[in-house]
Amino acid sequence: MAKSAKEASAETDAVTSNIRKLCNGGERRRAAEAFKAAKFTEDQADALLAELPDLREVINS
């Protein structure tokens, strides 16, 4: 069964929140893994990476 837009948005918000917590808690490698596994739109990914520049460094290393 396909997810509704509301369910998909809530899931994306939860994943984004988890990535922020991991990154801010010093677990940048785990945050990078979660980011890579997530299904973000390009705009969502760009916004999160702009907010967490250390995450971009870990992903690119």
Side-chain angles (χ1 to χ4, degrees):
M1 181 180 353
K3 293 180 186 177
S4 71
K6 188 174 184 178
E7 289 172 327
S9 178
E11 184 176 309
T12 300
D13 290 346
V15 170
T16 301
S17 177
N18 185 49
I19 291 170
R20 282 187 190 109
K21 286 178 187 175
L22 288 169
C23 199
N24 291 331
E27 297 192 50
R28 289 174 181 82
R29 186 70 53 200
R30 286 184 59 206
E33 291 170 8
F35 179 86
K36 290 176 186 177
K39 294 182 172 96
F40 292 119
T41 66
E42 188 174 335
D43 289 342
Q44 290 170 324
D46 288 345
L48 188 56
L49 291 173
E51 180 183 335
L52 302 168
D54 291 345
L55 181 59
R56 183 184 302 270
E57 289 180 27
V58 173
I59 291 169
N60 290 333
S61 64

